[in-house]
Structures are given as C-alpha cells and as structure tokens.
Amino acid sequence: MRAYAMSQTTAPMTDTVFATPSRKFADPDRTADGKRRARVPLARLTTLWINTGTLCNIACRNCYIESSPTNDAFVYISRAEAAAFLDEIVQDGWPVTEIGFTGGEPFMNPVMLGMLTDALERRFSALVLTNAMQPMMRPLVQKGLLALRDAYGDRLTLRVSLDHYTAALHDEERGPGSFDKTLEGIDWLAAEDFSIALAGRTCWGESEQAARAGYAALIESRSWPVVPDQPDALVLFPEMDAQQDVPEITEDCWGILGLSPSSMMCASSRMIAKRRGDKAPAVLPCTLLTDLPRFDMGATLAEAANAEGALFDQGTVKLCHPHCARFCVLGGGSCSAAPFE
C-alpha cells in the first residue's frame, strides 16, 4: 500500500497535520473552509492488521505504502511482538475475529508462518495479502502453508494482488513478467484447495461491471475457486493517485453521502507496525495512515482505545489525511474481509 508522501515523515512536528498546497487536511479539527471535520469512533474492533514489514520482492508503480526490496521504513515484526497483541485480544475480551497480515510482502518476513500459526491456534481467521510470487512459492513456505491448510482449512485465506485481468495492465503496475508469476502462484493455491480471494484496482477508468466481467473470464479459464461477483472474493480497490485533489470530509458529509461513520475501516480495525528505530510496535488507525508517526495511537490496544492528542479524541479518529477521503469515504475501500456487526 502506498503512503501519500513518505517524505513527510521527516517534516517537523507542528500543529499542521498534513500540508497540501490548498491547506487542506492541515487542521485536525477544522477543514480549510472552517467546517468541523468528520470523526470516526471505534465502534467494534473486529479486525487487527499486522504489518509484517515494508520490504517486498517487487516495487510497484503505485504501491500504497511504497514497499520495495530496499524500503524497511517498517521493519520485520517479530513473532513474539505479534503474539503479545493476540494475547491482549484474548485476555481483554476484544471482539476480534480476523487477523490480517499485510506488508510489504508478508512472506518476506522469516517468521510469517509462525505468526499465522499463532493466530489460527487462537481460533482467529487469518487473511494474508500477498503477491503470490517467489516468496510464497519457496518450497519451505509451501510446505508450511499446506500444513496450515490441513489443520485449519478455510479459516486461512490468501488474498492475491492481481491488479488487472490482463498481463499488459498488471505488468504496467508491477513490472514485466509479474502477471505470469502471479498466475502461477494462484494456480498453485487453487490446485491445493486453499481459500483464495483476489484484489484488483480501478486505475484504468473501466466500470466495475466491466472489470468484474474481465476477471470472471480469467477466473473461469484458470478454474480458480473465486466468485467474481462477491465483493469479498474479488476486492476492487479505488485508485490512489497521490496527485489528485480530494475534498475534505466534514460532519455534514455523512448525511450528504448517505454513509455512516461505523462503515469506515477505522470503526472496526486497527493495525500494528514497527517503525525502523523504534523499540516496539505501535498501533495505527488503519492500514493506510502510515506516513506520519503522529498517527501512532499507542503501544497496546488498550492505549489506542483511549488515545488522546491532536489527531485523536478518546480513541476517535479525526479524518485529517487525504487517504481518509480518497480511499475510504469517497472510494468505498476497506481492506478487511470480516463483516462489521
């Protein structure tokens, strides 16, 4: 996933949250025209994301978090660090049902299989966002995944990033030859009866109907166990053009757009990640707000639930980042597969 501007992490910590030429998103409480900014309280925590690290085997053109073979802005999280949060969920009775793993490429992390085991043993469902390329296809990783499949069945789901159903547009995003390598990985998962989902993009101006029809034809030709008309089986993420001007979200927008704060990703999920140089992981509002340390909410879920400061009010998230508008409110995007109740 791509952060809006990773260079902003070196900006001085002032009252300005996120500077844009128009001064949008600069004030955590008020929009540029003085209206009260929308906020999202944590209604029910159902998904905890674990960022396994920003290192990836490829460098995508529009990666949401600028992952690459050299970017370790988020370092590999350890098995013990991840397990501490799983234990906190169990001990404190958090209503989490799903543990999601994202990166970077999760299978670059050397303890990825161990973290999956810990999540599944605690009776959570597990969702892994992967490109299904060489890191996942290593023999030892395949062996470990097969063992987890045998033990836990469809409680383990692998969501494969297939940006487009054609090689030309997928490779435009991820590099020459990546389409064929990803198809090889999906073919293996399908042949071994894993629970599979796909994640595509809407970057090329085609309608959702046309996109799903294109994926449907590819899915049928490869005999993959994916239902293209189901939004959680084929997730189409909104375009994340960092240069695009987006409107700020005010409290009035909920009624104007016919949306509820409880339908936003940060109403039901949090993510843990470990920044390079930090001694311990931090809790973040979601999988997207990663580029500024000021979005860190605390060292535990309990701390995050009561986070205070410029960007939070007793754990309530102020929508003061362009991604809040671009991806979630206006784009309708959500990384989780768990239903919100």
Side-chain angles (χ1 to χ4, degrees):
M1 293 184 173
R2 182 184 184 85
Y4 184 87
M6 290 295 285
S7 61
Q8 293 289 334
T9 57
T10 59
M13 295 298 185
T14 67
D15 289 338
T16 296
V17 176
F18 195 97
T20 66
S22 64
R23 298 298 296 169
K24 288 181 178 180
F25 303 99
D27 186 320
D29 295 303
R30 298 283 172 177
T31 59
D33 59 2
K35 295 180 180 178
R36 183 173 166 83
R37 189 175 301 284
R39 304 174 178 213
V40 175
L42 180 64
R44 181 178 173 85
L45 183 62
T46 57
T47 299
L48 179 67
W49 287 96
I50 297 174
N51 187 292
T52 61
T54 40
L55 287 174
C56 186
N57 55 303
I58 56 176
C60 299
R61 186 187 62 173
N62 288 313
C63 177
Y64 294 163
I65 200 170
E66 295 188 346
S67 298
S68 76
T70 59
N71 179 11
D72 64 346
F74 287 163
V75 297
Y76 288 148
I77 198 165
S78 74
R79 184 174 182 177
E81 288 167 337
F85 285 91
L86 302 180
D87 290 339
E88 183 185 5
I89 292 170
V90 175
Q91 292 166 6
D92 293 350
W94 289 94
V96 173
T97 59
E98 175 187 61
I99 306 298
F101 294 88
T102 184
E105 167 52 46
F107 291 109
M108 295 278 286
N109 188 311
V111 297
M112 180 60 207
L113 292 173
M115 291 189 291
L116 270 177
T117 300
D118 292 341
L120 291 164
E121 281 183 344
R122 288 167 172 79
R123 305 192 65 78
F124 298 110
S125 64
L127 175 66
V128 185
L129 310 191
T130 178
N131 57 39
M133 296 173 72
Q134 192 270 337
M136 189 196 78
M137 294 292 281
R138 289 173 291 172
L140 285 178
V141 173
Q142 288 181 314
K143 181 180 179 180
L145 285 173
L146 290 169
L148 290 173
R149 178 211 60 190
D150 290 344
Y152 302 105
D154 60 8
R155 280 175 47 208
L156 169 62
T157 298
L158 295 103
R159 181 192 290 166
V160 180
S161 297
L162 189 65
D163 287 335
H164 200 259
Y165 52 85
T166 66
L169 293 183
H170 178 89
D171 286 358
E172 178 183 293
E173 173 69 26
R174 294 184 175 255
S178 61
F179 183 79
D180 290 339
K181 292 178 181 177
T182 296
L183 261 56
E184 179 184 354
I186 302 173
D187 285 343
W188 179 78
L189 292 169
E192 297 295 344
D193 295 323
F194 282 92
S195 175
I196 307 170
L198 301 178
R201 289 176 181 252
T202 57
C203 300
W204 295 280
E206 52 184 356
S207 68
E208 179 176 344
Q209 182 180 10
R212 290 192 182 277
Y215 278 102
L218 176 63
I219 289 166
E220 183 178 7
S221 72
R222 312 290 293 202
S223 299
W224 295 338
V226 177
V227 181
D229 292 334
Q230 292 184 356
D232 59 343
L234 172 58
V235 184
L236 296 178
F237 286 123
E239 184 174 3
M240 292 288 282
D241 182 356
Q243 305 306 314
Q244 180 186 22
D245 185 33
V246 292
E248 297 179 285
I249 307 302
T250 70
E251 289 188 332
D252 293 338
C253 289
W254 300 126
I256 294 170
L257 297 171
L259 296 173
S260 168
S262 65
S263 66
M264 299 298 105
M265 183 162 51
C266 56
S268 59
S269 69
R270 291 291 182 261
M271 184 177 80
I272 62 170
K274 187 176 182 180
R275 299 183 189 277
R276 184 180 61 242
D278 286 357
K279 293 183 179 179
V283 181
L284 306 177
C286 69
T287 58
L288 296 174
L289 304 189
T290 60
D291 54 340
L292 292 170
R294 292 186 74 185
F295 284 101
D296 294 359
M297 302 184 76
T300 66
L301 296 175
E303 288 184 9
N306 296 288
E308 291 282 0
L311 311 186
F312 312 109
D313 182 9
Q314 292 186 333
T316 292
V317 179
K318 303 173 185 179
L319 302 188
C320 52
H321 193 290
H323 284 344
C324 301
R326 181 181 294 111
F327 186 87
C328 294
V329 178
L330 300 176
S334 177
C335 294
S336 176
F340 177 75
E341 299 176 358

